[in-house]
Amino acid sequence: MEDEKSFSDICGGRVVLRRRYYSPYCREFGLSSARLSLRSLTAVTCAVWLAAYGLFTLCENSMILSAAIFITIIGLLGYLHFVKIDQETLLIIDSLGIQMTSSYASGKESTTFIEMDKVKDVIINEAIYMKVIYYLCILLKDPGKPHEISQVVPVFQGYSEVLQASLYLKPWGEREDRYPFFETFSNLPGQWHSIYNTTVLLLHGPCEHLCTYTDTHKGWRYSLGGRSILSIVQGPGLVPSISPKLNRRLTLLRKIEK
Amino acid sequence: MVLKAFFPTCCASADSGLLVGRWVPEQNSAVILAVVHFPFIPIQVKKLLAQVQKASQVQVAVLGTWCHRQQEPEENMGHFLEGLGAIFSHDPWLQLCRERGTRFWSCKATYHQMSTNLGTPTEDQVMLIFYDQRKLLLSWLHPPAVLPGCQDGETTASTGGLADIFDTVARSEVLFQNDQFDEGPVRLSHWQSDGMEASILVELAKRASGPVCLLLASLLSLLSAASASWLWKLWPLSFIRSKLSTCEQLWHRLKHLSLIFSTEKAQNPMQLMRKANMLVSVLLDVALGLLLLSWLHSNNRIGQLANALVPVADRVAEELQHLLQWLMGAPAGLKMNRALDQVLGRFFLYHIHLWISYIHLMSPFIEHILWHVGLSACLGLTVALSILSDIIALLTFHIYCFYVYGARLYCLKIYGLSSLWRLFRGKKWNVLRQRVDSCSYDLDQLFIGTLLFTILIFLLPTTALYYLVFTLLRLLVITVQGLIHLLVDLINSLPLYSLGLRLCRPYRLAAGVKFRVLEQEAGRPLRLLMQINPLPYSHVVHTYRLPSSGCHPKHSWGSLCRKLFFGELIYPWRQREDKQD
């Protein structure tokens, strides 16, 4: 069973979410974005070559032109191979694990597989950036210590810019059934009952402030969409007390000690 | 939980028979290792399994039946197979079947024991996961699952699910020694069924390696004993040895070689990789060294180098003399103290004169020395580079001397100034309390102190300028030497064998696994393909880096600047005597 839904991102580009249902215990979610646009490629190439030509007229050294060509080619290859993510897939197999694949524009695929013993929960994180944004992430635990959280892994890393904008446009208080993206995750089998129960307070790097009423002791730092994010995980029950204040965009906060 | 059946891809085309493998109850998964074909005698199958279990500590058992209907015309095989469930009782009993006319398989797993109150056996959903047995056998997982208290004699506790599966397949090598084409009582089908893998060269090398290793190990131990003897601890030799980086590099290589050719076998894959990395590194080193040697000795390059060396040294000395003349005048428009300037300048000029005479004295012998030193390149490129670094150090010895003189003078001046500055303000350094205390001085003490203070302060720019110039020269030489050491370090510590393995046989170094969902039909069990996810190159380098004997500068930038400001001598290449391996 397969279905597709399109969303739009900040720049107006189209992002397609594809769901495949292989069996009651195996589902796949894929996010694919628009390909490299010819317009932007032409613009960048022209800019680099114009600059090179300008330098050439100043210096009269033809090595500059060859160097510009090299730089353009190598830069394009590097961008396609290391930066531009075409598609990201999340494959969830019950009792085996979760697999996240990113496939780049040059065809390279990088896969991470997390075993089910290590997964503690899948939660929705919210971040206070210029506005409140949300994204999905997986909490990992150490099999030896099941009550502690060892790591936080965001899902769909290459798309965090995208997801932050369009899919989570509702204010905090009305979030229950208004997030079409999360609805796709809500009816996963078995263990994902706690998707809406636990939420996480997330703060962005430069404005590292903290709500005064949280007393968490531990935070995880990771990067999402190129930004470094510090995240603190709280249990359920704290959420309602946070939300009204978050909505009013707190600015007076205390610094976190990690 | 869904029952997971790990099935080897090599058995997908095998004839019908019994499935043999290991059942892991904690994860509800069955790892199938081989297929036993008809005809067989159940007693002998059980005997073989008991033998394998004893030899490999893996709980192999008969897990179920495998039916390949595409190859057999008769349909009554199915009933026969079901009857086998009574002979080899295992809970749950798997029945895998590959049917005719379709690519999809049918799987059934029946539990007999758990359904006592129901009366009928319960079935469970099965998920098929295909794996490549050969690749799984040969690969090892990073990070290796550290099992607490696991020795060879104990059974392993179940660790993470995947590490367990890798472990099971790796330890069941005993099972793979018999084949369906062998004459034994039991015919098995597994990854070796396509043909036993062996190579004559590898076998010969293995046979020959024993005596060769013994011989080389004894030679190397003689060498190590000679180099560790008490003669080297005597004063001049130990001093020279600590200063020359060539000796350090030779010692390092000797240690590597003795480790490679030691007669004890590697205990675990890490040690094996380390040995292999060291061997490849030494071989590459020697190959590059021989290349350099052949290049040097062709076209009379040594002669050209020797002929060029003396004029270069002369040129350097001349430039230094020009520099000193410049400093003795009015350098960069600064006004120097004429008397001190002349004294220092003449002092250093005399040194340069001595140095030039020394070089000219040595010039007839340089070609011979270079020729013999060039021969040492056959020991390795790293040794040649270390010798080059030492030659640079020796040739720029006068710069080092100037730096030391300038630094000492400057240092004395700075300390004098700081102490007299305290006197100027009426304070004193209390050595007992390690702090500055006020102190009442006599008038004559104050008078002389102030006089000295002003003298020192007016002489400060001259000394500071000389110090600055020579420190910059010394730093330049240190930078060149540092680059050479960096290159030597790189050759020493890069794990080339591991990188080559990652390039050519990526399944050997596994960071994990990845799954791919195969084509599927509704109502049929889910089929997945499990492949090995190789370790990224950065992790390979990080994990298998060889420990280097490099003398890294131990100062941070802040402490370096502080030392330079106060005129303390900097020794960037302290040899570390207590380096642990």
mmCIF file of all heavy atoms in Angstrom, chain A residues 67-92:
data_model
loop_
_atom_site.group_PDB
_atom_site.id
_atom_site.type_symbol
_atom_site.label_atom_id
_atom_site.label_comp_id
_atom_site.label_asym_id
_atom_site.label_seq_id
_atom_site.Cartn_x
_atom_site.Cartn_y
_atom_site.Cartn_z
ATOM 1 N N ALA A 67 41.577 27.622 -13.464
ATOM 2 C CA ALA A 67 41.287 27.382 -12.051
ATOM 3 C C ALA A 67 39.798 27.556 -11.775
ATOM 4 O O ALA A 67 39.212 26.791 -11.005
ATOM 5 C CB ALA A 67 42.088 28.350 -11.181
ATOM 6 N N ALA A 68 39.184 28.551 -12.427
ATOM 7 C CA ALA A 68 37.747 28.763 -12.197
ATOM 8 C C ALA A 68 36.944 27.573 -12.680
ATOM 9 O O ALA A 68 35.994 27.141 -12.027
ATOM 10 C CB ALA A 68 37.294 30.025 -12.921
ATOM 11 N N ILE A 69 37.362 27.012 -13.821
ATOM 12 C CA ILE A 69 36.629 25.844 -14.337
ATOM 13 C C ILE A 69 36.754 24.676 -13.371
ATOM 14 O O ILE A 69 35.781 23.993 -13.041
ATOM 15 C CB ILE A 69 37.160 25.459 -15.734
ATOM 16 C CG1 ILE A 69 36.834 26.573 -16.720
ATOM 17 C CG2 ILE A 69 36.559 24.155 -16.188
ATOM 18 C CD1 ILE A 69 37.334 26.311 -18.100
ATOM 19 N N PHE A 70 38.000 24.459 -12.895
ATOM 20 C CA PHE A 70 38.214 23.377 -11.942
ATOM 21 C C PHE A 70 37.363 23.555 -10.703
ATOM 22 O O PHE A 70 36.744 22.618 -10.213
ATOM 23 C CB PHE A 70 39.684 23.338 -11.501
ATOM 24 C CG PHE A 70 40.496 22.374 -12.267
ATOM 25 C CD1 PHE A 70 41.685 22.766 -12.851
ATOM 26 C CD2 PHE A 70 40.073 21.064 -12.425
ATOM 27 C CE1 PHE A 70 42.424 21.875 -13.565
ATOM 28 C CE2 PHE A 70 40.819 20.175 -13.144
ATOM 29 C CZ PHE A 70 42.002 20.581 -13.720
ATOM 30 N N ILE A 71 37.383 24.800 -10.202
ATOM 31 C CA ILE A 71 36.647 25.054 -8.963
ATOM 32 C C ILE A 71 35.168 24.776 -9.170
ATOM 33 O O ILE A 71 34.507 24.167 -8.326
ATOM 34 C CB ILE A 71 36.868 26.501 -8.496
ATOM 35 C CG1 ILE A 71 38.290 26.670 -7.993
ATOM 36 C CG2 ILE A 71 35.899 26.878 -7.402
ATOM 37 C CD1 ILE A 71 38.631 28.085 -7.691
ATOM 38 N N THR A 72 34.646 25.211 -10.337
ATOM 39 C CA THR A 72 33.220 24.986 -10.578
ATOM 40 C C THR A 72 32.894 23.500 -10.618
ATOM 41 O O THR A 72 31.966 23.034 -9.966
ATOM 42 C CB THR A 72 32.802 25.603 -11.925
ATOM 43 O OG1 THR A 72 33.402 26.869 -12.055
ATOM 44 C CG2 THR A 72 31.313 25.715 -12.031
ATOM 45 N N ILE A 73 33.729 22.757 -11.343
ATOM 46 C CA ILE A 73 33.429 21.329 -11.476
ATOM 47 C C ILE A 73 33.549 20.619 -10.140
ATOM 48 O O ILE A 73 32.668 19.856 -9.737
ATOM 49 C CB ILE A 73 34.371 20.679 -12.516
ATOM 50 C CG1 ILE A 73 34.064 21.215 -13.898
ATOM 51 C CG2 ILE A 73 34.221 19.184 -12.485
ATOM 52 C CD1 ILE A 73 34.917 20.627 -14.971
ATOM 53 N N ILE A 74 34.667 20.896 -9.451
ATOM 54 C CA ILE A 74 34.879 20.191 -8.189
ATOM 55 C C ILE A 74 33.834 20.614 -7.158
ATOM 56 O O ILE A 74 33.328 19.798 -6.386
ATOM 57 C CB ILE A 74 36.303 20.422 -7.684
ATOM 58 C CG1 ILE A 74 37.261 19.704 -8.626
ATOM 59 C CG2 ILE A 74 36.482 19.911 -6.283
ATOM 60 C CD1 ILE A 74 38.690 19.888 -8.273
ATOM 61 N N GLY A 75 33.495 21.913 -7.178
ATOM 62 C CA GLY A 75 32.476 22.367 -6.247
ATOM 63 C C GLY A 75 31.133 21.712 -6.516
ATOM 64 O O GLY A 75 30.437 21.271 -5.588
ATOM 65 N N LEU A 76 30.785 21.593 -7.782
ATOM 66 C CA LEU A 76 29.520 20.960 -8.125
ATOM 67 C C LEU A 76 29.502 19.496 -7.708
ATOM 68 O O LEU A 76 28.535 19.004 -7.127
ATOM 69 C CB LEU A 76 29.287 21.070 -9.640
ATOM 70 C CG LEU A 76 27.971 20.479 -10.127
ATOM 71 C CD1 LEU A 76 26.817 21.265 -9.572
ATOM 72 C CD2 LEU A 76 27.917 20.480 -11.636
ATOM 73 N N LEU A 77 30.613 18.795 -7.973
ATOM 74 C CA LEU A 77 30.676 17.382 -7.598
ATOM 75 C C LEU A 77 30.598 17.220 -6.082
ATOM 76 O O LEU A 77 29.899 16.346 -5.579
ATOM 77 C CB LEU A 77 31.976 16.758 -8.108
ATOM 78 C CG LEU A 77 32.023 16.450 -9.588
ATOM 79 C CD1 LEU A 77 33.381 15.918 -9.958
ATOM 80 C CD2 LEU A 77 30.965 15.452 -9.965
ATOM 81 N N GLY A 78 31.319 18.083 -5.396
ATOM 82 C CA GLY A 78 31.287 18.013 -3.934
ATOM 83 C C GLY A 78 29.894 18.289 -3.391
ATOM 84 O O GLY A 78 29.401 17.602 -2.496
ATOM 85 N N TYR A 79 29.247 19.280 -3.963
ATOM 86 C CA TYR A 79 27.897 19.615 -3.515
ATOM 87 C C TYR A 79 26.946 18.455 -3.751
ATOM 88 O O TYR A 79 26.164 18.072 -2.891
ATOM 89 C CB TYR A 79 27.435 20.856 -4.276
ATOM 90 C CG TYR A 79 26.036 21.279 -3.960
ATOM 91 C CD1 TYR A 79 25.717 21.822 -2.730
ATOM 92 C CD2 TYR A 79 25.023 21.135 -4.898
ATOM 93 C CE1 TYR A 79 24.426 22.213 -2.436
ATOM 94 C CE2 TYR A 79 23.738 21.524 -4.607
ATOM 95 C CZ TYR A 79 23.450 22.060 -3.380
ATOM 96 O OH TYR A 79 22.168 22.435 -3.099
ATOM 97 N N LEU A 80 27.037 17.846 -4.938
ATOM 98 C CA LEU A 80 26.123 16.748 -5.238
ATOM 99 C C LEU A 80 26.401 15.528 -4.381
ATOM 100 O O LEU A 80 25.504 14.777 -4.052
ATOM 101 C CB LEU A 80 26.243 16.352 -6.714
ATOM 102 C CG LEU A 80 25.697 17.329 -7.722
ATOM 103 C CD1 LEU A 80 25.926 16.801 -9.117
ATOM 104 C CD2 LEU A 80 24.237 17.584 -7.492
ATOM 105 N N HIS A 81 27.670 15.335 -4.043
ATOM 106 C CA HIS A 81 28.028 14.112 -3.336
ATOM 107 C C HIS A 81 27.890 14.230 -1.835
ATOM 108 O O HIS A 81 27.635 13.251 -1.149
ATOM 109 C CB HIS A 81 29.466 13.743 -3.692
ATOM 110 C CG HIS A 81 29.832 12.348 -3.329
ATOM 111 N ND1 HIS A 81 29.348 11.241 -3.996
ATOM 112 C CD2 HIS A 81 30.622 11.870 -2.356
ATOM 113 C CE1 HIS A 81 29.842 10.156 -3.453
ATOM 114 N NE2 HIS A 81 30.624 10.495 -2.456
ATOM 115 N N PHE A 82 28.101 15.434 -1.315
ATOM 116 C CA PHE A 82 28.131 15.548 0.140
ATOM 117 C C PHE A 82 27.002 16.364 0.730
ATOM 118 O O PHE A 82 26.732 16.266 1.906
ATOM 119 C CB PHE A 82 29.454 16.190 0.595
ATOM 120 C CG PHE A 82 30.642 15.338 0.325
ATOM 121 C CD1 PHE A 82 31.582 15.722 -0.619
ATOM 122 C CD2 PHE A 82 30.831 14.161 1.004
ATOM 123 C CE1 PHE A 82 32.667 14.938 -0.875
ATOM 124 C CE2 PHE A 82 31.925 13.362 0.740
ATOM 125 C CZ PHE A 82 32.844 13.763 -0.198
ATOM 126 N N VAL A 83 26.389 17.225 -0.058
ATOM 127 C CA VAL A 83 25.446 18.175 0.532
ATOM 128 C C VAL A 83 24.005 17.941 0.100
ATOM 129 O O VAL A 83 23.114 17.900 0.926
ATOM 130 C CB VAL A 83 25.866 19.614 0.185
ATOM 131 C CG1 VAL A 83 24.851 20.599 0.696
ATOM 132 C CG2 VAL A 83 27.206 19.922 0.776
ATOM 133 N N LYS A 84 23.790 17.758 -1.185
ATOM 134 C CA LYS A 84 22.414 17.783 -1.675
ATOM 135 C C LYS A 84 21.739 16.435 -1.450
ATOM 136 O O LYS A 84 22.075 15.439 -2.076
ATOM 137 C CB LYS A 84 22.424 18.097 -3.175
ATOM 138 C CG LYS A 84 21.074 18.063 -3.832
ATOM 139 C CD LYS A 84 20.512 19.445 -3.943
ATOM 140 C CE LYS A 84 19.131 19.444 -4.545
ATOM 141 N NZ LYS A 84 18.113 19.000 -3.622
ATOM 142 N N ILE A 85 20.791 16.455 -0.544
ATOM 143 C CA ILE A 85 20.092 15.204 -0.261
ATOM 144 C C ILE A 85 18.843 15.149 -1.106
ATOM 145 O O ILE A 85 18.009 16.029 -1.047
ATOM 146 C CB ILE A 85 19.713 15.135 1.226
ATOM 147 C CG1 ILE A 85 20.992 15.142 2.050
ATOM 148 C CG2 ILE A 85 18.938 13.889 1.512
ATOM 149 C CD1 ILE A 85 20.748 15.021 3.504
ATOM 150 N N ASP A 86 18.720 14.074 -1.872
ATOM 151 C CA ASP A 86 17.552 13.928 -2.723
ATOM 152 C C ASP A 86 16.360 13.360 -1.976
ATOM 153 O O ASP A 86 15.245 13.762 -2.160
ATOM 154 C CB ASP A 86 17.901 12.950 -3.844
ATOM 155 C CG ASP A 86 17.952 13.643 -5.166
ATOM 156 O OD1 ASP A 86 17.652 14.848 -5.207
ATOM 157 O OD2 ASP A 86 18.276 12.983 -6.151
ATOM 158 N N GLN A 87 16.651 12.362 -1.185
ATOM 159 C CA GLN A 87 15.563 11.640 -0.579
ATOM 160 C C GLN A 87 15.998 11.091 0.765
ATOM 161 O O GLN A 87 17.120 10.625 0.905
ATOM 162 C CB GLN A 87 15.194 10.470 -1.473
ATOM 163 C CG GLN A 87 13.895 9.848 -1.119
ATOM 164 C CD GLN A 87 13.623 8.667 -2.022
ATOM 165 O OE1 GLN A 87 14.553 7.987 -2.429
ATOM 166 N NE2 GLN A 87 12.381 8.438 -2.309
ATOM 167 N N GLU A 88 15.106 11.154 1.726
ATOM 168 C CA GLU A 88 15.419 10.528 3.006
ATOM 169 C C GLU A 88 14.312 9.551 3.356
ATOM 170 O O GLU A 88 13.135 9.878 3.224
ATOM 171 C CB GLU A 88 15.533 11.584 4.089
ATOM 172 C CG GLU A 88 16.907 12.203 4.135
ATOM 173 C CD GLU A 88 17.121 12.988 5.383
ATOM 174 O OE1 GLU A 88 17.536 12.412 6.379
ATOM 175 O OE2 GLU A 88 16.844 14.188 5.335
ATOM 176 N N THR A 89 14.704 8.374 3.799
ATOM 177 C CA THR A 89 13.716 7.330 4.054
ATOM 178 C C THR A 89 13.831 6.844 5.476
ATOM 179 O O THR A 89 14.930 6.707 6.007
ATOM 180 C CB THR A 89 13.984 6.110 3.143
ATOM 181 O OG1 THR A 89 14.487 6.559 1.915
ATOM 182 C CG2 THR A 89 12.733 5.340 2.923
ATOM 183 N N LEU A 90 12.711 6.553 6.053
ATOM 184 C CA LEU A 90 12.685 5.987 7.398
ATOM 185 C C LEU A 90 11.957 4.658 7.303
ATOM 186 O O LEU A 90 10.793 4.626 6.922
ATOM 187 C CB LEU A 90 11.929 6.934 8.322
ATOM 188 C CG LEU A 90 11.865 6.597 9.782
ATOM 189 C CD1 LEU A 90 13.215 6.825 10.395
ATOM 190 C CD2 LEU A 90 10.853 7.472 10.467
ATOM 191 N N LEU A 91 12.657 3.575 7.619
ATOM 192 C CA LEU A 91 12.044 2.248 7.522
ATOM 193 C C LEU A 91 11.913 1.706 8.932
ATOM 194 O O LEU A 91 12.907 1.582 9.641
ATOM 195 C CB LEU A 91 12.938 1.334 6.683
ATOM 196 C CG LEU A 91 12.522 -0.113 6.536
ATOM 197 C CD1 LEU A 91 11.289 -0.195 5.678
ATOM 198 C CD2 LEU A 91 13.628 -0.909 5.886
ATOM 199 N N ILE A 92 10.702 1.406 9.340
ATOM 200 C CA ILE A 92 10.485 0.924 10.693
ATOM 201 C C ILE A 92 10.034 -0.520 10.625
ATOM 202 O O ILE A 92 8.993 -0.817 10.044
ATOM 203 C CB ILE A 92 9.417 1.776 11.398
ATOM 204 C CG1 ILE A 92 9.852 3.229 11.340
ATOM 205 C CG2 ILE A 92 9.245 1.337 12.825
ATOM 206 C CD1 ILE A 92 8.875 4.169 11.943
#
